[in-house]
Amino acid sequence: MHNIWRHTAPANIALIKYMGKTDASSNIPTNSSLSYTLNNYLTTVELELAEHDQWQPWNEQNPFNIALTETAQQRFIKHLQFIKKQLNCPAHFIIRSTNNFPANCGIASSASSFAALTKAAVQAICELKQIPLLSIEQQARLSQQGSGSSCRSFYSPWCLWQGDNVKPVDLAYKELDHAVILVNAGTKAVSSSSAHQRVTTSLLFSNRVERAEQRLTILLDMLSQSHWKDAFQIVWEEFWDMHALFETARPSFGYMTADSMKVLQYVRDCWQQYKDGPLTTLDAGPNVHLLFRPDQQSLKTALLQYLQEHYHVI
Ligand code: PMV
């Protein structure tokens, strides 16, 4: 019998965004979302049997070790306790977690962290209680309660999350190259949990579901039929829609900076010049995420070469 369990989960980037909740306590999304899983960006969580539930720093040297804030530690412990309660488990654990990517690099680690914690907790509890391991679908649903977007990290390369249904989708592009143009590495002034609440005050929010669902239908179609340029257009409109919700909330808030705008302008110029380019999106932050097809290597090199002269690219 083990007394230490380790699990890993990837981050993901949404192309149709989860923004707004119909039920904040269980993270039920207002609209469906579609994400691409970032299999190179991983969080590892280790659980060890202990006298009481606690969080500890990772026990090995690692340049990307995470120093969780007190609030983040409590959120993590609360999620572990939620899973224990669901599975009727009296044991206690030390939680340790680490990333293989730097914090504040424009990739939210909450999805990968909560997915990895859920996997480790489910594995540990099922083993201790000698019950069958929960299905991936059941694990994704549990994870959703801790961090909504984490439920999408259970499927790869594409994941569709609709209400309480999370599932993989088979699309034409199985493997994409992901890059982040890091225009600002600082922590965000408005957390995504707070953004989910604040967007509902925007007048644009009343038709948000229709817009997102319509885009989702079109995007799934475009990505199935390898219509890359049309997919770019939809993904571009979608991140602008989410950022417009932020900017038109009452009171308004926002994440984009002048540098985000410069990068976006550059990407648009690239599309105009080459009639081709990367899918482009922003999360609730100022950094620009680019997704390239594997056959776009020379275009990617040219585009990133320029951007690297001005920004940190990862
Ligand atoms: O899972 P949360 O509550 O951190 O929300 C994530 C929201 C966005 O990253 C902005 C969009 C998304 O769908 O991932």
Side-chain angles (χ1 to χ4, degrees):
M1 174 77 72
H2 294 108
N3 65 356
I4 293 192
W5 294 265
R6 256 188 199 191
H7 264 279
T8 291
N12 68 75
I13 180 77
L15 300 187
I16 300 293
K17 308 290 183 181
Y18 152 51
M19 187 41 60
K21 307 179 188 186
T22 54
D23 178 5
S25 60
S26 53
N27 293 335
I28 303 291
T30 322
N31 63 272
S32 310
S33 56
L34 175 74
S35 58
Y36 180 75
T37 303
L38 304 175
N39 285 314
N40 293 330
Y41 295 91
L42 302 169
T43 296
T44 303
V45 165
E46 179 178 281
L47 291 181
E48 182 176 2
L49 282 172
E51 293 294 309
H52 64 275
D53 294 329
Q54 59 194 283
W55 183 87
Q56 278 183 6
W58 192 252
N59 47 4
E60 293 154 26
Q61 275 301 330
N62 173 341
F64 305 135
N65 276 349
I66 323 159
L68 285 189
T69 61
E70 185 57 34
T71 320
Q73 290 180 28
Q74 289 312 320
R75 212 180 135 204
F76 230 37
I77 293 172
K78 196 173 146 214
H79 185 58
L80 170 66
Q81 292 176 339
F82 162 75
I83 297 175
K84 289 199 311 180
K85 195 166 165 207
Q86 292 295 310
L87 298 177
N88 200 11
C89 169
H92 299 287
F93 301 91
I94 298 169
I95 312 171
R96 300 186 189 93
S97 55
T98 189
N99 291 340
N100 75 345
F101 57 95
N104 297 330
C105 71
I107 294 166
S109 59
S110 88
S112 50
S113 313
F114 278 83
L117 174 60
T118 304
K119 283 184 179 180
V122 167
Q123 174 85 46
I125 296 169
C126 290
E127 214 173 290
L128 289 170
K129 296 195 60 152
Q130 301 190 325
I131 54 173
L133 190 64
L134 301 190
S135 67
I136 295 295
E137 200 184 327
Q138 288 169 316
Q139 295 188 40
R141 288 230 196 94
L142 285 176
S143 204
Q144 175 195 333
Q145 306 278 325
S147 150
S149 57
S150 73
C151 71
R152 296 188 310 237
S153 285
F154 284 78
Y155 299 100
S156 179
W158 297 97
C159 180
L160 182 58
W161 176 24
Q162 299 175 294
D164 58 2
N165 187 271
V166 196
K167 59 180 188 194
V169 261
D170 190 23
L171 299 171
Y173 305 104
K174 311 282 180 222
E175 210 175 317
L176 297 174
D177 277 354
H178 173 249
V180 187
I181 315 305
L182 203 61
V183 302
N184 188 331
T187 39
K188 340 183 198 183
V190 177
S191 68
S192 58
S193 321
S194 172
H196 284 292
Q197 292 172 1
R198 293 178 61 171
V199 288
T200 58
T201 62
S202 161
L203 290 181
L204 300 178
F205 195 72
S206 58
N207 307 109
R208 165 67 186 153
V209 177
E210 289 83 340
R211 293 194 303 274
E213 299 298 337
Q214 200 177 18
R215 273 189 207 117
L216 174 66
T217 308
I218 302 171
L219 184 60
L220 286 172
D221 224 31
M222 296 303 110
L223 291 173
S224 312
Q225 296 177 47
S226 305
H227 290 173
W228 184 257
K229 191 173 180 196
D230 296 324
F232 161 76
Q233 183 62 37
I234 298 291
V235 172
W236 181 273
E237 288 170 18
E238 171 64 5
F239 85 72
W240 273 108
D241 191 344
M242 181 175 75
H243 282 259
L245 292 174
F246 303 149
E247 298 291 343
T248 56
R250 297 177 170 182
S252 142
F253 63 104
Y255 301 93
M256 278 196 198
T257 65
D259 282 323
S260 313
M261 289 299 298
K262 281 187 197 158
V263 174
L264 290 173
Q265 180 74 52
Y266 187 76
V267 172
R268 188 162 53 190
D269 290 349
C270 160
W271 264 98
Q272 269 162 11
Q273 187 180 342
Y274 298 105
K275 309 280 173 264
D276 194 12
L279 300 185
T280 306
T281 191
L282 269 74
D283 238 333
N287 304 309
V288 182
H289 293 249
L290 305 176
L291 288 167
F292 296 88
R293 303 185 313 266
D295 65 287
Q296 287 180 310
Q297 279 315 312
S298 55
L299 185 139
K300 180 184 166 197
T301 308
L303 199 138
L304 294 189
Q305 200 168 14
Y306 170 83
L307 290 169
Q308 263 155 352
E309 286 167 19
H310 301 84
Y311 307 101
H312 191 51
V313 177
I314 49 168

